Amino acid sequence: MSYRFNSYLIGIAALCASALAQSQEVKLLRDRTEAERPAIMFIGSPHLANHNRDVITTTVPDVLMPERQAEIADVVAALARFKPTKIAVELASEKQAELHLHYTGMLAGSYTLSRNEMDQFGMRIAAANKLPTMHAVDWNKMPPGQISDLDYQAWAKSNGMGERLAAMTATSPLNDARMKTTPVASWLIENNAPEKLAARHRRYFDYAMLSNEEAKPGANWVASWYGRNLKIFGNLVKLADSPKDRILVIYGAGHIPLLREFAVQSGAFTDVDPMPLLREAASAKRN
């Protein structure tokens, strides 16, 4: 056997050894065992600050009123028993420094909590568990393509589907009325009930139907919605850098079906049902 052939075999062996070492170093999500999956709990919340930036808006009663603050305290006490190691909220990841500043300000007494759910739930639960910070994991930038390719609202109005669009985006006066007369824990129980999450998720398939043979802005927009949630999911995976992590995710309820689907189907996380803790909050008795 020639020296050149021996060198070739040695080179192949080295490449194989290198590839094996790399495969051992890189642990794919799909290969995680149950013991290697961090726990994750998703809490879908209405936007308590009434920012009205969603396609379908909900009018939330003022959560700074004393009665609502007492109800929120019940929710916080219950969810704190999950003992999260990290709390992720719906804020652009590039605003992490701002979030940390607000959180440490709250701990120091120099920041007043806003109506936002990341403050009312997230900061209070983080403080109860003595966490050093909170984590901004949102992504909501312009997706690839031209905005006209995604503007299903303008397209529907100019292509005879205005009534269909109005029906799809109609708010629920009944839901708004119920929120005035039910406790905060009940809001969360309803928002996180499997049947409610499934119904909320189904509406996106109606958006996909806003199209014709020449243009498919509805499907393009739904694709961007899936893409946004995949990017949020990627941020959650990076956040959970230990199998012992327990991640509490507080997000707009519309995101929860996809985020939970990605978390479970990828093999990245072990999903923890929030309903037992939310029911505890709903049944809490205050003095």
Side-chain angles (χ1 to χ4, degrees):
M1 189 177 291
S2 70
Y3 172 78
R4 180 174 294 179
F5 188 64
N6 281 336
S7 298
Y8 172 76
L9 290 178
I10 292 171
I12 291 295
L15 287 172
C16 290
S18 175
L20 179 61
Q22 289 181 12
S23 67
Q24 291 172 341
E25 291 171 6
V26 178
K27 187 74 172 182
L28 299 178
L29 299 182
R30 69 190 187 200
D31 295 330
R32 284 186 180 179
T33 64
E34 188 172 347
E36 293 172 320
R37 296 170 187 163
I40 195 165
M41 178 182 284
F42 294 100
I43 301 294
S45 174
H47 292 307
L48 304 184
N50 289 309
H51 56 50
N52 295 325
R53 291 193 295 266
D54 293 336
V55 174
I56 300 177
T57 60
T58 300
T59 302
V60 180
D62 186 359
V63 296
L64 297 184
M65 297 298 290
E67 179 184 2
R68 297 303 185 186
Q69 286 292 290
E71 293 168 359
I72 287 172
D74 292 337
V75 171
V76 168
L79 293 179
R81 288 195 280 278
F82 174 60
K83 298 190 181 303
T85 59
K86 294 169 183 173
I87 295 179
V89 294
E90 189 175 348
L91 185 69
S93 55
E94 57 265 28
K95 294 186 177 180
Q96 176 61 41
E98 176 184 325
L99 177 63
H100 179 70
L101 185 64
H102 287 171
Y103 175 61
T104 55
M106 184 271 286
L107 294 178
S110 60
Y111 175 74
T112 301
L113 296 180
S114 74
R115 289 175 172 82
N116 195 294
E117 60 273 10
M118 75 179 72
D119 284 17
Q120 292 295 320
F121 299 138
M123 288 194 184
R124 289 175 166 179
I125 297 168
N129 284 275
K130 297 181 170 56
L131 300 183
T133 194
M134 292 171 60
H135 301 274
V137 297
D138 197 36
W139 186 96
N140 196 14
K141 301 176 184 178
M142 181 63 194
Q146 301 297 318
I147 193 167
S148 58
D149 295 331
L150 306 165
D151 192 349
Y152 64 88
Q153 294 178 323
W155 186 90
K157 291 173 183 176
S158 61
N159 284 271
M161 292 190 180
E163 290 186 10
R164 182 182 184 89
L165 176 67
M168 290 163 49
T169 58
T171 58
S172 171
L174 179 62
N175 182 60
D176 289 354
R178 286 189 69 256
M179 292 189 75
K180 293 179 180 179
T181 58
T182 56
V184 171
S186 297
W187 304 351
L188 296 180
I189 287 172
E190 183 172 338
N191 272 274
N192 290 275
E195 62 274 13
K196 182 64 177 283
L197 289 172
R200 188 188 299 272
H201 186 59
R202 281 197 295 272
R203 71 189 184 199
Y204 291 103
F205 298 97
D206 280 316
Y207 291 114
M209 301 308 297
L210 295 174
S211 62
N212 59 22
E213 289 303 315
E214 289 75 35
K216 303 192 182 299
N220 292 341
W221 182 82
V222 174
S224 74
W225 172 250
Y226 272 71
R228 177 185 174 192
N229 283 282
L230 277 169
K231 289 163 185 168
I232 297 166
F233 163 71
N235 288 338
L236 291 172
V237 171
K238 294 173 187 174
L239 178 61
D241 53 12
S242 166
K244 295 181 180 180
D245 268 326
R246 298 174 63 79
I247 311 298
L248 179 63
V249 182
I250 300 172
Y251 244 77
H255 293 269
I256 302 304
L258 284 180
L259 292 179
R260 178 173 285 134
E261 176 185 338
F262 299 154
V264 173
Q265 292 188 359
S266 66
F269 294 97
T270 296
D271 181 47
V272 180
D273 185 3
M275 295 302 274
L277 292 177
L278 294 177
R279 292 191 184 103
E280 284 183 29
S283 61
K285 290 181 171 54
R286 296 188 297 274
N287 293 330

